């Protein structure tokens, strides 16, 4: 069954048929027909951003916090190029997005027309797939395929480029069911023989560890549930990457905290010393492995991933299992239970004894102060005062991001949105708006650094216009803190261009957009100020003036193995005795 | 704990590959990639190689199934076993890619390339060029009083050898198609 309509109407119809309720976008000449179609309906809400990069980050926040794809609409040329950072961010972190861009009319393509850019060429390496649609009769099918590709297998961003004449042209609209999608069907079931081998390894391991990542969250809430069951039933310790926080609850008894460059001492040492590593939906990123040749040298490694190209890309593994995390976990549990729920109890008890010793190092301890707010303290208070609420956290990129990962606890998936793979400053604020759009009544907080936050501050207008009561909790150290830390530790303390000069008066800035502004510099006032932020019914800009030269520890310097971790700036405290060069 | 009887280096979900993952020896592999013949598909494949720093020694492409709009891209690449595995897995991720075959692993493939050589000369050299062309079963596809265009088909090595012989005899231009390859048997 097909219905005749214009290309622009098809875009709106296809979005409705895909269950889309909101699209983030910004108009321009090459998408005016679509904006006209949006004007004439009420099913799909359009959030008008102030910069296209922010539209993509908002869609990422929306997607990450709901498990549904995020949608974006931008114009040709500059609209499309502004979206590139967001697309790359979503590709690196496997976030499903469907982005529509306007294009000059088909007969003008290649003529350097006004606001023409080779959007397909520019976005080819930063999308999972992209399409240029030159024929209105093919448009509906392409859009439905785009949703299928974005959300199947390892999720990611896709882009559909729409020349203006195609938006005006009339063609046949077909629904999602009619679209041919069978060619792109990533394998979801894992190989049973390999899964059985893994169960054997689980039964015998003396020093096992689960190392989990964003793939668990992408697989859906059922996967997180199965992970909890498996971890608790086996009694194995579990650590996670930055992207995987919340899949296993931070309050769970087997939780060891995040691993990696700024991960916890016990998590990294357990990774180094384990005899069985079970990687579930993580990708051996270089922030995780440190020096690859010394990465967990004595362990048998299993790797569960839906993307076959992730396997053996960086670390060779002994037991690869290609499949969807949820499906594979279900099979592991089934087989492990059927074989009698065996684990090596004696080995495990000894292993936990070792881990408990490592925990005694209390690697997150820091020197408190009654005079200045320590960033760690600010996050501890934020955690204490917001715990138990319907809370979502986004972050920018820098020290504050790592402290947030260390000091905030996540007990559920989809509650933690951060730019992991690309490390995009300017992500957190728009992402928080996207989360709030999806969860209007929730408490949405962006833990920010002042420098990152300025990168997309124009979105204050968006938050005001659409009444998203997002809380911007800025740990203001007046420094590009993470850059300053590296210069401190690795470049002789020569702080080249790493301070934030000429900062705005954040309270006045807030007020100028109709927000509430709060400034706090005294630890004694902090609790009241945070409560004031939480209780305000509207967006809040919280300027939290913190210690300017605090460094973030633990830290594994680039290219060092896990057992050469720095616990503080004091060289004597270098774990493993390695000195910095 | 008990050692696993699984070889390192497998990228397939069940097969436990027998090659040594850690070997640093580079070898040449001929890959056949079956793709939808749609706009930009070649750019996706080439972009993958340039973006991830893989080598392309030879690349040919043509539609082989006009009804199904399928093209066959034949790529000759070089790399360690791990890199070759990555290349195949990465190719498999491209949405319009249907199949990836490693003809080098799947069994000795038939590999052929076609080349055209323009050789200019008179007297002894011209006679010698013609004599060698005959040995290589090259066809003369164009001839003037002081030049020939030879057409040679064969393995890339045979074509290299012919080029070497023609160089002192007045070789002035070469055009090569790149490798086309098929697995032997059925
Ligand atoms: C777009 C972008 N440009 C540059 C960087 C490099 N970078 C990483 S952290 C950082 C400093 C961030 O400063 P701030 O937001 O104040 O956070 P802090 O580290 O002080 O907590 C910089 C410049 C980046 N990650 N992203
Ligand atoms: Mg800062």
């Amino acid at each position: 069954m097909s219905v005749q309509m214009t290309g622009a109407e098809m875009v709106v119809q296809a979005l409705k048929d895909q269950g889309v309720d909101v699209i983030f976008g910004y108009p321009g000449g090459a998408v005016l027909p679509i904006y006209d179609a949006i004007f004439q309906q009420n099913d799909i809400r359009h959030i008008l951003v102030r910069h296209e990069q922010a539209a993509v980050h908002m869609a990422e926040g929306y997607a990450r916090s709901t498990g549904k794809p995020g949608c974006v609409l931008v114009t040709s040329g500059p609209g499309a190029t502004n979206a590139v950072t967001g697309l790359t961010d979503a590709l690196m972190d496997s976030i499903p997005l469907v982005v529509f861009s306007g294009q000059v009319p088909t007969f003008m393509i290649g003529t350097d027309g006004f606001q023409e850019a080779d959007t397909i060429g520019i976005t080819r390496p930063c999308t999972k797939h992209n399409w240029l649609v030159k024929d209105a009769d093919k448009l509906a099918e392409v859009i439905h395929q785009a949703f299928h590709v974005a959300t199947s297998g390892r999720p990611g961003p896709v882009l559909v480029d729409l020349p203006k004449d195609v938006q005006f042209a009339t063609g046949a609209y077909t629904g999602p069911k009619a679209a041919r999608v069978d060619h792109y069907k990533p394998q979801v079931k894992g190989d049973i023989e390999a899964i059985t081998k893994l169960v054997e390894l689980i039964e015998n391991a003396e020093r096992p560890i689960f190392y989990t990542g964003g793939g668990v969250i992408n697989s859906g809430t059922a996967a997180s549930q199965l992970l909890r069951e498996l971890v608790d039933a086996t009694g194995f310790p579990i650590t996670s990457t930055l992207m995987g926080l919340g899949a296993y609850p931070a309050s769970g008894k087997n939780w060891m905290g995040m691993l990696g460059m700024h991960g916890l001492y016990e998590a990294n040492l357990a990774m180094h010393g384990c005899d069985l590593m079970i990687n579930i939906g993580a990708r051996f990123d270089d922030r995780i492995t440190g020096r690859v040749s010394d990465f967990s040298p004595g362990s048998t490694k299993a790797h569960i991933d839906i993307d076959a190209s992730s396997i053996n890309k960086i670390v060779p593994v002994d037991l690869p299992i290609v499949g969807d995390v949820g499906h594979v976990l279900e099979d592991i549990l089934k087989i492990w239970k059927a074989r009698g729920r065996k684990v090596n109890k004696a080995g495990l008890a000894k292993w936990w004894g070792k881990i408990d010793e490592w925990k005694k190092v209390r690697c997150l301890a820091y020197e408190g102060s009654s005079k200045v707010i320590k960033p760690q303290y600010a996050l501890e208070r934020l955690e204490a005062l917001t715990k138990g609420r319907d809370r979502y956290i986004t972050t920018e990129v820098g020290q504050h991001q790592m402290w947030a990962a260390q000091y905030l606890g996540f007990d559920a998936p989809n509650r933690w949105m951060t730019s992991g793979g690309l490390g995009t400053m300017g992500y957190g604020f728009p992402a928080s708006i996207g989360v709030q759009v999806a969860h209007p009544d929730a408490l949405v907080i962006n833990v920010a650094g002042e420098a990152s936050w300025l990168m997309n501050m124009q979105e204050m207008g968006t938050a005001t216009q659409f009444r998203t009561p997002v809380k911007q909790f800025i740990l203001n150290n007046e420094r590009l803190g993470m850059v300053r830390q590296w210069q401190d530790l690795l470049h002789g303390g020569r702080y080249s261009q790493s301070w934030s000069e000429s900062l705005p008066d954040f309270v006045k800035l807030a007020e100028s957009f109709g927000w509430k502004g709060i400034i706090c510099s005294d630890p004694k006032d902090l609790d009241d100020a945070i409560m004031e932020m939480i209780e305000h019914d509207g967006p809040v800009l919280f300027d939290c003036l913190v210690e300017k030269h605090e460094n973030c520890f633990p830290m594994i310097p680039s290219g060092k193995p896990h057992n050469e971790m720095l616990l503080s700036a004091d060289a004597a405290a270098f774990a493993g005795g390695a000195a910095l060069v | 704990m008990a050692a696993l009887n699984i070889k390192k280096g497998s990228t397939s979900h069940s097969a436990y590959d027998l090659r040594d993952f850690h070997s640093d020896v580079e070898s040449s592999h001929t890959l056949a990639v079956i793709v939808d013949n749609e706009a930009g598909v070649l750019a996706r494949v080439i972009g993958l190689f340039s973006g991830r720093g893989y080598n392309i020694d030879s690349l040919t492409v043509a539609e082989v199934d006009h009804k199904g709009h399928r093209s066959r891209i034949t790529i000759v690449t070089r790399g360690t076993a791990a890199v070759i595995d990555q290349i195949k897995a990465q190719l498999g991720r491209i949405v319009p890619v249907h199949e990836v075959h490693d003809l080098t692993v799947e069994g000795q493939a038939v590999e052929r390339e076609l080349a055209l050589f323009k050789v200019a000369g008179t007297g002894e050299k011209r006679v010698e060029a013609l004599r060698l062309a005959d040995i290589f079963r090259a066809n003369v596809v164009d001839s003037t009083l002081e030049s020939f265009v030879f057409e040679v088909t064969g393995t890339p090595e045979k074509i290299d050898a012919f080029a070497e012989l023609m160089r002192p005899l007045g070789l002035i231009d070469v055009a090569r198609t790149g490798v086309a390859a098929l697995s032997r048997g059925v």
Side-chain angles (χ1 to χ4, degrees), chain A residues 311-388:
Chain A
I311 290 177
N312 291 334
K313 184 170 68 178
I314 295 153
V315 172
V317 296
D318 306 278
L319 183 54
I321 301 174
V322 174
D324 166 57
V325 165
H327 285 81
V328 174
L329 282 174
E330 201 177 344
D331 285 338
I332 293 173
L333 271 163
K334 220 182 282 168
I335 296 171
W336 180 69
K337 284 179 188 167
R339 288 167 55 111
R341 300 168 162 262
K342 283 178 285 198
V343 292
N344 182 337
K345 286 220 176 77
L348 213 49
K350 253 172 86 187
W351 181 225
W352 273 111
K354 191 122 208 191
I355 292 169
D356 288 338
E357 256 167 55
W358 289 329
K359 281 187 176 173
K360 284 193 198 127
V361 168
R362 296 185 53 247
C363 68
L364 292 184
Y366 60 93
E367 210 177 299
S369 164
S370 57
K371 291 197 190 67
V372 298
I373 300 176
K374 289 289 189 129
Q376 301 95 323
Y377 176 73
L379 288 164
E380 280 178 344
R381 294 319 302 154
L382 185 74
E383 170 77 353
L385 296 170
T386 60
K387 216 174 175 70

Side-chain angles (χ1 to χ4, degrees), chain A residues 124 130 183 307 309 312 318, chain B residues 6 10 43-44 86 93 95:
Chain A
R124 197 177 284 126
N130 59 16
H183 149 52
D307 179 359
S309 77
N312 291 334
D318 306 278
Chain B
I6 296 169
S10 168
R44 285 181 210 283
Q86 258 302 297
R93 239 155 61 111
V95 173

Side-chain angles (χ1 to χ4, degrees), chain B residues 33-39 41 60-73:
Chain B
V33 188
I34 310 300
V35 300
D36 284 324
N37 183 16
E38 60 181 37
V41 65
T60 65
V61 56
E63 190 170 87
V64 290
D65 171 3
H66 298 304
K67 260 223 213 91
H69 300 291
R70 295 286 166 83
S71 289
R72 183 182 178 101
I73 302 177

Side-chain angles (χ1 to χ4, degrees), chain A residues 386-407:
Chain A
T386 60
K387 216 174 175 70
R389 290 179 190 253
D390 181 16
R391 181 190 78 177
Y392 292 83
I393 301 283
T394 67
T395 77
E396 303 288 347
V397 171
Q399 292 179 313
H400 63 277
Q401 176 190 30
M402 294 298 113
W403 281 316
Q406 293 173 339
Y407 291 90

